[in-house]
């Protein structure tokens, strides 16, 4: 019986997250109330407060749920390309752009983050949480870039911190530009070329080489 209750609680949690994602992406975070989310999820506001503190906590959990799938994809590419970290990086970047265009949930999340969320009031706590995740993201990117350097796939003097900053900014910029005007270019189709252009910059740009 306890196992069934736990499963039901998990199902309710996912219903709330799905409803919040849909409402946030259509109406924006500020214009969406917890009552709106409760109605869409078919639960009470009390049920929402049982699982989440507020809208910032909801959006943070949506983000974590989406990113959790990326870990599985990363492991898949590491298995596919053993000893070839640059191919793993390339495949992951292409996947992120492609998924933004094709996966409705990821697209909705990116639309919220880039265009439909103000980090003020109760949402300022989300900004703090995202800043912490962002720092972890930069550290992870640097670690992967160092593996590429060790494998002889990127220059030995590459400034990995600047490269990580550029990578995050470049990918985010492509997603944000496409989400703002999807007719301007085909993000999914252009993803391989866009990623290859960025990797060429890491390989060839003298400005990214740390001076001895």
């Amino acid at each position: 019986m306890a196992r069934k209750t736990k499963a039901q609680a998990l199902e309710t949690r996912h219903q709330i997250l799905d409803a919040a994602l849909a409402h946030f992406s259509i109406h924006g975070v500020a214009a969406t109330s917890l009552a709106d989310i409760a109605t869409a999820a078919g639960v009470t506001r009390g049920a929402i407060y049982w699982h989440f503190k507020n809208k910032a906590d909801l959006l943070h959990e949506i983000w974590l749920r989406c990113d959790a799938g990326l870990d599985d994809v990363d492991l898949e590419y590491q298995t596919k390309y053993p000893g070839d970290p640059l191919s793993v990086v390339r495949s992951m970047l292409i996947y992120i752009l492609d998924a933004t265009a094709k996966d409705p949930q990821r697209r909705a999340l990116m639309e919220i983050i880039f265009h439909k969320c103000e980090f003020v009031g109760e949402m300022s706590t989300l900004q703090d949480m995202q800043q912490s995740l962002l720092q972890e993201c930069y550290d992870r990117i640097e670690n992967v870039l160092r593996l590429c350097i060790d494998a002889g796939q990127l220059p030995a003097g590459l400034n990995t911190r600047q490269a990580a900053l550029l990578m995050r900014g470049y990918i985010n910029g492509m997603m944000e530009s496409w989400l703002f005007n999807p007719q301007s270019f085909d993000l999914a189709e252009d993803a391989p070329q866009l990623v290859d252009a960025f990797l060429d910059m890491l390989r060839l740009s003298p400005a990214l080489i740390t001076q001895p």
Side-chain angles (χ1 to χ4, degrees), residues 10-83:
L10 184 60
E11 182 180 354
T12 298
R13 182 182 179 86
H14 284 304
Q15 285 176 228
I16 295 170
L17 289 172
D18 290 341
L21 178 63
H23 261 269
F24 288 159
S25 66
I26 295 171
H27 304 290
V29 175
T32 297
S33 68
L34 291 180
D36 294 329
I37 297 170
T39 299
V43 301
T44 64
R45 285 188 60 180
I48 293 181
Y49 283 120
W50 177 262
H51 292 278
F52 307 101
K53 298 175 184 176
N54 48 34
K55 288 193 289 185
D57 191 30
L58 261 170
L59 188 51
H60 181 62
E61 288 298 320
I62 291 170
W63 183 286
L64 292 179
R65 186 175 67 165
C66 187
D67 267 7
L70 292 180
D71 291 336
D72 294 334
V73 176
D74 184 39
L75 181 59
E76 176 185 338
Y77 287 134
Q78 289 185 43
T79 303
K80 184 177 181 179
Y81 301 110

Side-chain angles (χ1 to χ4, degrees), residues 8 11 38 72 84 93 104 120 122 132 145 159 165 170-171 182 192 195-196 202 207:
Q8 288 175 333
E11 182 180 354
D72 294 334
D84 186 0
L93 295 180
V120 295
E122 69 173 315
S132 177
L145 291 176
N159 186 323
L165 292 171
Y170 182 83
I171 295 301
V195 170
D196 286 341
L202 296 189

